[in-house]
Amino acid sequence: MEYLIGIQGPDFVLVAADNVAASSIIQMKHDYDKMFKLSEKILLLCVGEAGDTVQFAEYIQKNVQLYKMRNGYELSPSAAANFTRKNLADYLRSRTPYHVNLLLAGYDETDGPGLYYMDHLSALAKAPFAAHGYGAFLTLSILDRYYKPDLTREEAVDLLKKCIEELNRRFILNLHSFTVRLIDKDGIHDMEKLSAGPK
Amino acid sequence: MALQDVCGFMDYLDEIPPCHHLPNETGSLFKTTSEFETDCPFHFLSPPQQNSGKHGVPSLLSPTFPCLSTHQRPFQLSHGTTTLGFTFQGGVIAAADTRASCKGLICCPISQKIMPIHSHLVVTTSGSGADCMLWERILTREMRLYQLRHRRRLTVNGAAKLLSMMLHPFKGTEVCVAVTLCGWDGEDAKITFQTGMKMGAKVEKTMKQDSHDPIKNNALSSPNSEMMSSTNKQYDQNTLSAIGEHCGPRVCYVCSDGLQLRGEIISVGSGSPYAYAVLDDGWRWEMTVDEAMGLAREAVFRATHWDAYSGNNVDLFHITALGLRRRDREDLKEEYYREKERAKKMIKEREKERQKKEKAELAEEAKDIKSVHGEY
């Protein structure tokens, strides 16, 4: 029902998420933001079961901020991703597992941009592009075909638009708008919301 | 737990052997009710404790107490209701029906689903009636404590977060609470909570006096419009400046699943799709208070018409910077008959107009024919 996508470039990461907050068959909100800012250069995109998403994401968010307060410097994206995965794994075999699917995108001074894919079984993979949700079935092959490791920002946005077009054409649900953000060495930039035009 | 002591509830617990394999219908990923009991429901902000396994002093909340381990309900809970809340330039409107149902039975046709928490916050409830009552009281208590400790009211979003956090340990259990918090966040500098409470009380008093008149028959707009507009004028003078970041009307939805949403229009319950249809069509930020009341009333009315689990009466609350006002409960059955009468009248009038038109057309034609004959 929900959709997350991330594309990593040579010096940036582009991420997008849909804006629908639904409860059974009703869209309760059309402008819901599924991205959580962990630090100046790290974003966590979180979808999944209703309360778990916000609860887990905010827990990670506060812990990352606490680390910065205690130690004076921020966690790197890779460390944050592993921390997140560890928490997911710890709760997995408890009585209250978190049923969430995540994308963590960040920019590190030394390692450059990074996109990490995590799912509710606490798998972690660093990937050049990734997507979550039913929409992923439709768009991963597009990403496969057109992705190049050295794509520019404009090319990444075009690729994203292609994916959204495909969703609009073939996906049974109407996801009419997407929040788009770009992370690079200067931090997190909000980009224009993409909306699926008429079919 | 005085009753427990009097009944000697605890006395025979020592004889019951510990029961490790508890039947659990919902699958291993969810907490059983006994596990839920160990997380003492009165310690809301503490994380769930692990089951230690030893029972030095068995308490009512001990997992070894088999009577609490499986809940066998004699009936299925239904979550039938229509409640809604929306913000607009004149504040917040909260509306709900009054039917409490249990499967096919209407348990109570006059239940109250909208409960004031304090002078500037109202909560509309849906889900399990008992759970909602309990959690509404708990929330009221926590908010009052916050107010006393910090000398200011907790914001609507803060209250929603608090409630969401308190409900989180019970996720996966059968607690079913879906509430909408509707209220006004005040500016702390201008109105301290004391004066705010006083004003709120004054407001409620004046409204009670005004609203003793029964609601007269009228179309969708509020019948008390004269009374309300006069009191509206007095609010306008004192009303705080419009929407800032820290003050203004707010509506927030909190669910025992953990979903927490802020928005402009929220509707909850089995009748909510019908209500959404009416609200989405008629809502504008610039609505007047009367239009907003009329819209809320219409939305609940349509929902109660189509949804079997909603009905009987409609309650309306209006919250502004100066507090909350309540409109008299209105029976929707009468509204239904009034609408039928109106529809009949409209059909008659349209028939008359059509006939007039036809006559006029015939007359015109006759004239033309005459003039044509006349020439010859």
Side-chain angles (χ1 to χ4, degrees):
Chain A
M1 304 283 200
E2 302 171 292
Y3 183 66
L4 298 178
I5 182 174
I7 302 172
Q8 181 200 323
D11 59 349
F12 68 91
V13 189
L14 182 72
V15 287
D18 73 291
N19 284 334
V20 170
S23 168
S24 88
I25 59 164
I26 306 275
Q27 275 186 22
M28 294 197 79
K29 257 199 123 185
H30 313 286
D31 53 359
Y32 188 66
D33 192 0
K34 300 184 185 176
M35 303 194 192
F36 295 84
K37 186 174 147 178
L38 296 190
S39 75
E40 288 308 311
K41 295 185 189 165
I42 307 181
L43 267 182
L44 181 69
L45 288 76
C46 194
V47 290
E49 204 177 313
D52 286 351
T53 49
V54 176
Q55 202 75 21
F56 185 71
E58 285 196 348
Y59 174 70
I60 300 293
Q61 193 180 41
K62 302 311 172 200
N63 272 290
V64 170
Q65 285 166 3
L66 180 64
Y67 185 94
K68 182 183 177 183
M69 281 182 219
R70 280 188 178 148
N71 301 292
Y73 58 90
E74 291 182 340
L75 271 174
S76 67
S78 153
N82 278 290
F83 170 71
T84 309
R85 191 213 64 83
K86 177 87 172 51
N87 269 289
L88 266 177
D90 286 339
Y91 278 99
L92 184 62
R93 285 177 199 270
S94 74
R95 288 181 211 103
T96 55
Y98 285 108
H99 197 282
V100 291
N101 293 315
L102 309 162
L103 283 183
L104 192 142
Y107 188 90
D108 193 22
E109 299 300 330
T110 42
D111 298 329
L115 178 68
Y116 296 88
Y117 170 100
M118 273 172 276
D119 72 358
H120 65 281
L121 296 170
S122 71
L124 170 67
K126 184 169 193 300
F129 56 84
H132 273 300
Y134 288 120
F137 291 100
L138 296 166
T139 52
L140 278 173
S141 42
I142 298 177
L143 289 165
D144 255 339
R145 281 191 71 195
Y146 294 106
Y147 178 79
K148 300 175 299 216
D150 58 349
L151 81 178
T152 65
R153 285 170 172 71
E154 291 76 24
E155 285 172 354
V157 174
D158 283 336
L159 183 51
L160 180 63
K161 281 188 183 158
K162 274 206 182 76
C163 292
I164 290 176
E165 245 182 71
E166 178 63 18
L167 274 186
N168 188 33
R169 198 176 301 128
R170 289 289 182 185
F171 192 40
I172 199 175
L173 297 182
N174 179 25
L175 298 173
H176 45 75
S177 83
F178 296 82
T179 312
V180 184
R181 293 206 165 102
L182 186 114
I183 310 175
D184 62 8
K185 62 173 171 41
D186 300 320
I188 301 173
H189 311 281
D190 287 342
M191 302 190 69
E192 206 186 303
K193 266 194 189 175
L194 285 181
S195 51
K199 287 194 185 179
Chain B
M1 310 304 202
L3 187 59
Q4 171 188 322
D5 291 327
V6 164
C7 299
F9 219 30
M10 308 256 275
D11 297 339
Y12 61 93
L13 272 184
D14 294 338
E15 298 155 24
I16 298 170
C19 174
H20 292 295
H21 299 291
L22 304 161
N24 185 354
E25 293 166 350
T26 48
S28 58
L29 283 185
F30 294 92
K31 267 198 244 181
T32 63
T33 340
S34 71
E35 287 153 359
F36 148 66
E37 300 292 357
T38 58
D39 311 335
C40 174
F42 302 101
H43 297 156
F44 304 112
L45 304 177
S46 66
Q49 306 287 331
Q50 290 298 317
N51 186 357
S52 61
K54 41 179 176 165
H55 46 117
V57 181
S59 70
L60 183 62
L61 306 169
S62 153
T64 61
F65 193 61
C67 301
L68 297 176
S69 57
T70 46
H71 268 305
Q72 294 280 326
R73 276 213 190 76
F75 49 82
Q76 187 67 279
L77 283 182
S78 311
H79 317 311
T81 188
T82 307
T83 68
L84 57 96
F86 60 87
T87 62
F88 68 112
Q89 58 80 23
V92 190
I93 301 279
D97 72 311
T98 60
R99 177 175 291 182
S101 59
C102 163
K103 226 176 179 181
L105 172 71
I106 298 177
C107 304
C108 178
I110 48 170
S111 62
Q112 192 186 356
K113 299 190 189 180
I114 309 187
M115 290 179 265
I117 294 205
H118 59 61
S119 59
H120 288 70
L121 182 63
V122 131
V123 58
T124 73
T125 58
S126 119
S128 151
D131 286 333
C132 286
M133 260 190 200
L134 174 67
W135 285 101
E136 186 264 335
R137 291 189 68 180
I138 291 170
L139 181 67
T140 311
R141 184 193 68 195
E142 293 298 325
M143 291 197 68
R144 182 72 183 132
L145 283 173
Y146 185 94
Q147 196 174 18
L148 289 168
R149 287 180 185 136
H150 298 89
R151 292 173 175 275
R152 66 179 185 89
R153 283 200 305 270
L154 191 53
T155 59
V156 177
N157 290 336
K161 197 80 192 160
L162 181 64
L163 185 59
S164 181
M165 288 287 172
M166 291 197 289
L167 282 171
H168 182 69
F170 298 93
K171 188 172 157 96
T173 65
E174 298 207 40
V175 171
C176 179
V177 171
V179 301
T180 314
L181 295 165
C182 311
W184 185 284
D185 287 345
E187 266 185 9
D188 305 335
K190 285 192 184 166
I191 292 188
T192 63
F193 74 86
Q194 278 169 338
T195 51
M197 296 282 270
K198 274 193 212 152
M199 284 177 114
K202 221 195 280 175
V203 161
E204 281 181 333
K205 218 176 148 197
T206 51
M207 272 328 291
K208 274 189 196 143
Q209 292 166 357
D210 287 343
S211 58
H212 272 312
D213 295 349
I215 295 187
K216 301 185 187 112
N217 298 344
N218 217 331
L220 299 170
S221 65
S222 123
N224 305 14
S225 52
E226 300 93 357
M227 278 183 267
M228 286 200 171
S229 52
S230 64
T231 45
N232 265 339
K233 282 179 202 149
Q234 119 201 4
Y235 296 148
D236 289 339
Q237 297 163 15
N238 300 333
T239 307
L240 294 174
S241 60
I243 320 313
E245 269 183 26
H246 303 294
C247 76
R250 301 267 186 268
V251 171
C252 222
Y253 169 67
V254 180
C255 174
S256 53
D257 285 342
L259 188 60
Q260 190 201 337
L261 296 172
R262 295 156 209 181
E264 284 166 337
I265 307 175
I266 305 268
S267 175
V268 186
S270 52
S272 66
Y274 312 109
Y276 267 122
V278 175
L279 289 171
D280 284 335
D281 188 43
W283 183 88
R284 291 169 301 120
W285 178 259
E286 306 82 19
M287 283 194 294
T288 64
V289 177
D290 293 337
E291 281 174 3
M293 291 275 207
L295 182 68
R297 215 165 135 272
E298 170 88 0
V300 175
F301 171 58
R302 299 289 169 209
T304 56
H305 181 57
W306 287 108
D307 182 28
Y309 298 108
S310 311
N312 296 103
N313 310 311
V314 59
D315 281 331
L316 277 169
F317 277 72
H318 176 215
I319 303 133
T320 56
L322 295 162
L324 62 89
R325 313 186 300 181
R326 186 198 175 151
R327 217 169 94 157
D328 274 351
R329 178 169 281 191
E330 196 187 329
D331 192 344
L332 288 173
K333 186 175 54 185
E334 329 240 306
E335 175 66 25
Y336 175 71
Y337 289 123
R338 260 182 264 141
E339 215 205 350
K340 286 218 137 175
E341 293 297 313
R342 260 181 267 138
K344 272 192 208 158
K345 262 197 221 165
M346 214 181 341
I347 291 174
K348 276 194 197 152
E349 280 173 22
R350 285 191 9 203
E351 187 59 40
K352 274 191 207 160
E353 293 213 356
R354 214 179 301 137
Q355 284 174 353
K356 257 196 217 168
K357 252 194 195 172
E358 280 175 14
K359 270 190 197 165
E361 279 172 13
L362 284 172
E364 287 260 344
E365 278 180 30
K367 254 197 220 167
D368 290 340
I369 294 170
K370 251 193 191 170
S371 63
V372 166
H373 280 310
E375 281 175 22
Y376 292 124

